[in-house]
Amino acid sequence: MQDNQKRDFIDRVGEGTIISSSVEFLIENRVENCERGIFIGSNCLLYPRNRIVLGDMEINSTANFVAGDHVKINAGGYFSGEGGLIIGDYVLIGPNVCILSAGHEYRDIERFIMEQPLTYGRIQIERDVWIGASSIILPGVKIGQGAVIGAGSVVCKDVPSYAVVVGNPGKVIKYRGHRKRGNIFHTGYSFLRCFLGETS
């Protein structure tokens, strides 16, 4: 697909944004002058071999892909905006990340899974998040501001702001900028000493 054809799939792109020529957009029945579509902010960088999927926009009323300003997306990612995907400013996404806002219904054992309806869940990634290489974000998840997702993690539930999440399924192991003592998270050592009644 030529660069000018790719631009036809993007509803808005900001100044200073660089999109590799190998980035793919999968959209059917794109709706012109709609509040939904592909919107990419300023000073973003989309590395090669990424794929952004919205599917059939006439059938799917939730399809949407929005990336804020200063978003960096490394190579080889898969980004499903079919259920809605919102990426905040200054988000850093490592290589081979899959963000999936759509899945398949599977509970009817009398029908092939591929013949069952798609399911959707909006994904919101707030500003200043780092998603490590080869992580998977599943439908309906919200990742709070400043969170870090460790490489290879599978995130299937909401992540609090500034949390560091690792593993499959992803679990919070600590919080950025805080030390932990018991159940108390703090940033000021002298405050903690006073709180605990320590004098030495």
Side-chain angles (χ1 to χ4, degrees):
M1 185 183 295
Q2 299 299 316
D3 286 349
N4 59 346
Q5 290 177 297
K6 288 183 179 181
R7 293 287 175 167
D8 290 340
F9 288 107
I10 302 174
D11 295 89
R12 185 175 66 243
V13 60
E15 294 184 3
T17 288
I18 299 172
I19 301 173
S20 168
S21 60
S22 66
V23 173
E24 296 181 338
F25 299 94
L26 275 62
I27 308 171
E28 297 179 22
N29 298 317
R30 181 172 172 268
V31 180
E32 298 287 345
N33 301 317
C34 178
E35 294 182 356
R36 298 181 297 111
I38 295 178
F39 304 91
I40 300 173
S42 301
N43 301 305
C44 297
L45 180 56
L46 277 66
Y47 281 82
R49 304 187 314 282
N50 281 299
R51 174 176 285 187
I52 297 171
V53 180
L54 293 189
D56 190 329
M57 292 190 65
E58 286 187 351
I59 295 175
N60 181 8
S61 62
T62 61
N64 199 24
F65 177 91
V66 178
D69 299 330
H70 303 280
V71 172
K72 303 294 187 288
I73 300 177
N74 215 317
Y78 183 94
F79 301 91
S80 159
E82 293 147 292
L85 173 54
I86 311 299
I87 302 173
D89 300 337
Y90 293 96
V91 168
L92 181 62
I93 299 176
N96 303 311
V97 166
C98 290
I99 301 180
L100 306 171
S101 65
H104 287 274
E105 182 58 76
Y106 60 88
R107 288 174 290 187
D108 185 351
I109 61 173
E110 303 299 326
R111 299 169 62 191
F112 295 118
I113 294 173
M114 69 172 59
E115 294 178 349
Q116 298 186 45
L118 290 175
T119 58
Y120 303 105
R122 183 176 183 267
I123 294 175
Q124 181 176 353
I125 301 169
E126 295 188 341
R127 71 195 318 263
D128 190 32
V129 167
W130 177 20
I131 301 177
S134 300
S135 294
I136 300 172
I137 314 299
L138 296 179
V141 164
K142 178 180 178 181
I143 300 178
Q145 176 174 322
V148 175
I149 309 301
S153 298
V154 178
V155 179
C156 52
K157 62 181 181 179
D158 291 352
V159 174
S161 296
Y162 302 105
V164 178
V165 168
V166 300
N168 178 12
K171 296 182 180 180
V172 176
I173 60 166
K174 61 182 178 180
Y175 285 82
R176 292 177 56 206
H178 298 263
R179 292 175 293 156
K180 182 179 180 183
R181 179 179 293 185
N183 291 321
I184 301 170
F185 290 91
H186 62 95
T187 54
Y189 178 65
S190 58
F191 169 79
L192 180 68
R193 285 165 55 93
C194 295
F195 183 81
L196 296 177
E198 297 178 0
T199 57
S200 58

